[in-house]
Amino acid sequence: MPDVISTTGTPYADGKILTHTADGVGVITFNNPDKRNAMSLEMWEGFGEALTALRDDDTVRVVILRGAGGKAFVSGADISQFEKVRHNAAASEQYAKRSAAQRALLADYPKPTIACIDGYCLGGGMQVAMLADIRLASHESQFGIPAAKLGIAYGYDGLRHLVSLVGPSWARLLMYTGMRIDSAEALRIGLVERVFPQGELWGETMAMAETIAQNAPLAIKAAKITIAQVLKDESRRDMEAIKVIGNACMDSVDFREGRQAFMEKRKPQFRGK
Ligand code: COA
């Protein structure tokens, strides 16, 4: 993965979170390589600001999350902060609130997201990756949630996503042992969607992002909203939201463009309207 980080991008959290954009693709880089991109509270907050900025940038149609340094996506929360800010239940609740608010932004993100995982993806890093819509990884990556090794309760949201991706048995195995698994196993159990050689991961991720960026934004939004509702308990599903986005999509200029482009045998130009 290229470690060239665009100088035109915006830094957050003292440069430990970076963003840049190109051709409809927004990239957020976790940039704390000395600590394997461990997330301090300041980084969680910077991550939230970066997500918000790319969400509000109309030129961005898809967002990639990645780690700097070639050794880790994110190695989890910054354990060195725990003594001060996460040492008991009350402190932990405050800590969780501040970091969960940023993850909630990702959970409800209106644009498609891809986690590009090269190296360690552990603890809170898994939480971030599991909240992304799609996970692509290098062969060299390792995945795990070492909460039981640290005495941490992983929380409802993180476990809900883990169970929905890998099922309850693998979730228990990972959580009870704190074991790390490699990319081949992560692929087999459904934790990641595709695995590439390290040298190809970034190119493949960008190619997928560009494909998504060129497709019809409203159709993608409809899929995103509908799949999110499918994952909810039936009693909590917002079927109206599905109907609203479905109507917006089928009444859109882009749908007309898609039909016309097909008939005229040319590439469609979608505008998200
Ligand atoms: N929090 C704080 N610091 C971390 C960290 C984390 N989650 N993960 C790594 N670091 C720091 C290490 O303390 C080390 O710092 P040092 O150079 O000052 O000694 C540095 O990053 C490099 O880590 P190191 O362990 O030497 O690298 P490695 O490549 O051999 O191993 C990991 C990488 C990620 C496997 C290992 O650091 C690790 O197990 N980290 C903790 C993961 C974890 O428990 N995450 C869940 C947190 S809730």
Side-chain angles (χ1 to χ4, degrees), residues 36-57:
R36 307 293 182 261
N37 303 325
M39 294 283 283
S40 63
L41 268 180
E42 297 72 29
M43 284 174 72
W44 281 117
E45 280 162 359
F47 177 48
E49 289 167 37
L51 282 170
T52 305
L54 295 182
R55 180 195 66 194
D56 296 342
D57 181 338

Side-chain angles (χ1 to χ4, degrees), residues 30-255:
F30 302 104
N31 184 37
N32 191 11
D34 288 349
K35 288 191 173 185
R36 307 293 182 261
N37 303 325
M39 294 283 283
S40 63
L41 268 180
E42 297 72 29
M43 284 174 72
W44 281 117
E45 280 162 359
F47 177 48
E49 289 167 37
L51 282 170
T52 305
L54 295 182
R55 180 195 66 194
D56 296 342
D57 181 338
D58 288 339
T59 66
V60 171
R61 292 192 176 174
V62 51
V63 172
I64 298 174
L65 310 175
R66 67 171 195 172
K71 289 192 176 156
F73 176 70
V74 170
S75 66
D78 185 337
I79 302 169
S80 69
Q81 284 195 323
F82 285 6
E83 202 47 46
K84 210 165 152 199
V85 293
R86 205 185 186 184
H87 52 283
N88 60 23
S92 198
E93 197 179 328
Q94 279 310 311
Y95 177 97
K97 260 192 201 146
R98 282 172 70 186
S99 62
Q102 321 310 325
R103 287 192 298 271
L105 280 172
L106 182 57
D108 290 329
Y109 211 61
K111 299 177 182 180
T113 51
I114 304 173
C116 174
I117 302 160
D118 185 16
Y120 293 110
C121 178
L122 302 173
M126 281 273 284
Q127 229 169 335
V128 171
M130 290 190 295
L131 282 170
D133 291 328
I134 298 161
R135 283 149 295 282
L136 307 179
S138 66
H139 285 307
E140 289 73 13
S141 299
Q142 297 238 348
F143 303 80
I145 302 177
K149 292 186 184 294
L150 288 155
I152 291 174
Y154 198 59
Y156 178 81
D157 284 331
L159 286 181
R160 187 165 68 88
H161 287 101
L162 183 66
V163 172
S164 78
L165 286 171
V166 304
S169 290
W170 260 106
R172 291 189 189 103
L173 182 51
L174 290 168
M175 296 310 295
Y176 294 178
T177 62
M179 73 199 279
R180 292 207 299 251
I181 60 171
D182 63 16
S183 292
E185 191 132 61
L187 183 66
R188 196 170 59 72
I189 67 174
L191 189 56
V192 301
E193 280 67 60
R194 282 197 168 163
V195 175
F196 300 100
Q198 196 169 35
E200 294 171 22
L201 175 66
W202 182 244
E204 293 283 353
T205 306
M206 276 304 283
M208 184 175 289
E210 279 160 15
T211 298
I212 294 172
Q214 284 161 19
N215 281 340
L218 286 174
I220 291 170
K221 199 170 174 187
K224 180 154 179 161
I225 287 174
T226 308
I227 293 165
Q229 296 305 323
V230 170
L231 289 174
K232 288 186 180 167
D233 287 342
E234 205 173 340
S235 61
R236 296 188 53 227
R237 274 183 205 145
D238 184 353
M239 298 308 282
E240 188 55 27
I242 297 175
K243 197 168 164 213
V244 168
I245 184 66
N247 287 342
C249 196
M250 301 313 283
D251 276 341
S252 66
V253 178
D254 278 354
F255 179 37

